[in-house]
Amino acid sequence: PLEQTTWAYRKEKIRQQMVPVDLLTLQECNAETIVQDLDFLQPEYAILCHRRARIAMATCWRIERFELVADYHLNRCLITVLKDRGGLFVCLVNCHLSAGRQPKERFQQIVKAMDQVRKLRNRFSLDLIIFSGDFTATSSIFIPP
């Protein structure tokens, strides 16, 4: 039904199904309306939206558990470094990679994000690194540690 395609309907469904999580990453957000779109998360969560993307990524974290240490707005990647109340550093890489037949461009976007994470490992004692997002891939590749 047409009603189910509206943001108001979908937002209510998300709100109803939302379970308490510490970290949340979203893709294909509207940077201009993100605060209103995710108002049901506040005041428990902080919301950081990519500054330079038309269709943006948003990273959210539970305020009682984490504080923002640093953020980097790369091409289609939002990198957020958080510190939890116990002193652990968490790095979230939230991606929305280029669509279409652009494997080289997607690869370059990931390489730049990895380069930034390497720099961050030298700056902070990162305890956990999480890659999440819309990788716009037709197949999955597992790279063992």
Side-chain angles (χ1 to χ4, degrees), residues 75-89:
N75 180 20
R76 294 188 162 256
C77 293
L78 173 61
I79 301 175
T80 309
V81 179
L82 303 170
K83 184 176 179 183
D84 85 348
R85 300 296 177 218
L88 299 175
F89 285 92

Side-chain angles (χ1 to χ4, degrees), residues 25-140:
T25 61
L26 302 165
Q27 299 77 41
E28 298 193 19
C29 299
N30 184 333
E32 295 176 6
T33 62
I34 192 74
V35 174
Q36 297 86 6
D37 293 344
L38 299 179
D39 59 0
F40 62 92
L41 292 176
Q42 298 168 349
E44 290 87 10
Y45 292 86
I47 301 167
L48 178 66
C49 190
H50 196 286
R51 290 191 294 258
R52 300 182 304 183
R54 185 178 58 80
I55 301 174
M57 294 74 58
T59 298
C60 312
W61 61 91
R62 192 173 287 280
I63 293 171
E64 71 182 22
R65 171 121 190 240
F66 297 99
E67 66 178 280
L68 179 64
V69 176
D71 58 280
Y72 301 87
H73 302 249
L74 306 179
N75 180 20
R76 294 188 162 256
C77 293
L78 173 61
I79 301 175
T80 309
V81 179
L82 303 170
K83 184 176 179 183
D84 85 348
R85 300 296 177 218
L88 299 175
F89 285 92
V90 177
C91 178
L92 286 112
V93 181
N94 184 359
C95 300
H96 183 211
L97 303 182
S98 296
R101 298 181 187 264
Q102 308 294 336
K104 184 176 180 182
E105 187 174 345
R106 285 192 293 276
F107 181 74
Q108 290 171 341
Q109 290 164 344
I110 289 292
V111 166
K112 287 181 182 179
M114 293 294 292
D115 287 343
Q116 185 63 50
V117 170
R118 277 189 207 90
K119 292 175 189 173
L120 289 169
R121 289 182 76 192
N122 292 331
R123 187 170 165 204
F124 302 104
S125 174
L126 298 179
D127 298 291
L128 179 63
I129 301 167
I130 301 170
F131 267 76
S132 70
D134 181 348
F135 298 104
T136 315
T138 56
S139 62
S140 299

